[in-house]
Amino acid sequence: MPKNPVVTPPVIEARQLCKRFGALRAVDEISFSIAPGQCFGFLGPNGAGKTTTLSMLMGLASFDGGSLQVLGQTMPQAAREVRARVGLVPQADNLDPDFTVRENLFMYARFFGLKRRAVADRVEALLAFAELTAKAEAKVETLSGGMKRRLTIARALVNDPELVILDEPTTGLDPQVRHLIWSRLAELRSRGVSLILTTHYMEEAERLCDRLVIMDQGRILDEGTPTELIHRHVESDVIELRGRVSEALYTTLRSMCAHIERQGLAVYVYTHAAAPILEFLGDAEQLTVTHRRAGLEDVFLRLTGRGLRE
């Protein structure tokens, strides 16, 4: 008789989760499940409900409806126990400026009841992990923005968490620091640590996330792997035109493609057959033509629109 497969419970199981602020439904009956060892992403414009969702996962905010299990524990009743097993990287670095880099890690360990001697080796390993060993005795105020962000990520790991929640971890960082953080997050995932990520960088989401949801106005619009979402919602190729596109040209292009959008002086042509359109545009004057494969950013804009969110 074949053995029954081992069923691993999800790290997070949310069903019809709802959070209201007065008449506003910041999170509107969303459901999702996160498997162990996954990097799971939340994408959405400002005000979509991403940060509110993360706050509920951490037990830092109550919810008004639905059910939530985190690490096998029922929330919010088990919020204290869950927080001891989770690492949090908030949007803004909230490091203690009165302490050195190393002391920030030791002080944070005390919040989890961890003695200095017990975490001494881990602190040194985290300094190396974040490439901050050379800055261990420096005050926080002397660090660059990228160093502070790396220290904040290292601090989130001081309790050896099973799950790490990262709220826009690389916003405002230069490409070198961003790539370093990506490699460190990939390393964590390879060790079996589960990651939850919010980000406005579509490349970051495509590179790191095993699965993700796209949210808007408190609701989940769709869920899947980056590849699934791209195939489901947009055509394979995008041709971008920059310059003055006449109405006559726009009308002709619209008849040749699956989908077309105009944004200011830019026109986006979505198609599964780029060659005929590129040939047609070959002699177009005063236009900059760029051809690329469709990506997650195209999905995001297709689902949430191109309008600004304040």
Side-chain angles (χ1 to χ4, degrees), residues 11 36-37 71 82 84-87 159-164 192-195:
V11 173
L71 298 174
V82 165
R85 301 165 61 191
V86 175
N159 60 323
D160 195 21
E162 302 163 56
L163 169 67
V164 179
V193 178
S194 304
L195 304 177

Side-chain angles (χ1 to χ4, degrees), residues 241 245-262 267-271 277 280-281:
L241 309 180
V245 177
S246 67
E247 285 302 319
L249 177 57
Y250 187 87
T251 300
T252 301
L253 289 171
R254 186 167 55 189
S255 69
M256 299 176 68
C257 69
H259 184 79
I260 189 169
E261 296 180 24
R262 187 194 291 270
V267 170
Y268 301 86
V269 178
Y270 293 86
T271 180
I277 298 174
F280 170 73
L281 291 169

